[in-house]
Amino acid sequence: MADAKFKEIMIRLKCKTEEDLIARLLEANSELLEAIYDLQWFMEEKDLTIKDFHEWQQEKELRIYH
């Protein structure tokens, strides 16, 4: 990645140092993993399968297009 692009990303994310950027990325990654675990737990609790999820995604895409 070009140095200018890297600096632009840091400015957009309001990170002053590379350490700030890394900390922000790690925090975002942790939040994403937590959301995935919650989704898995929800699906297991509701006895939903991956097939159910994919069907829901397809229905959602159809609703968006119409």
Side-chain angles (χ1 to χ4, degrees), residues 2-3 5 7 11 14-15 19 25 27-28 30 33-34 41-43 47-48 52 61-63 65-66:
D3 206 37
K5 186 71 174 171
K7 288 182 190 247
I11 290 168
K14 298 176 183 166
C15 297
E19 289 79 18
L25 291 173
E27 182 181 342
S30 293
L33 283 173
E34 193 173 317
W41 181 70
F42 173 80
M43 288 177 68
D47 200 30
L48 297 171
D52 297 327
E61 288 175 13
L62 286 176
R63 285 192 302 265
Y65 290 132
H66 295 287

Side-chain angles (χ1 to χ4, degrees), residues 3 5 12 18 21 27-28 30 33 39-40 44-45 49 55:
D3 206 37
K5 186 71 174 171
R12 287 185 181 200
E18 289 180 18
L21 178 60
E27 182 181 342
S30 293
L33 283 173
L39 175 60
Q40 288 176 330
E44 286 178 10
E45 189 175 88
T49 65
E55 288 172 359

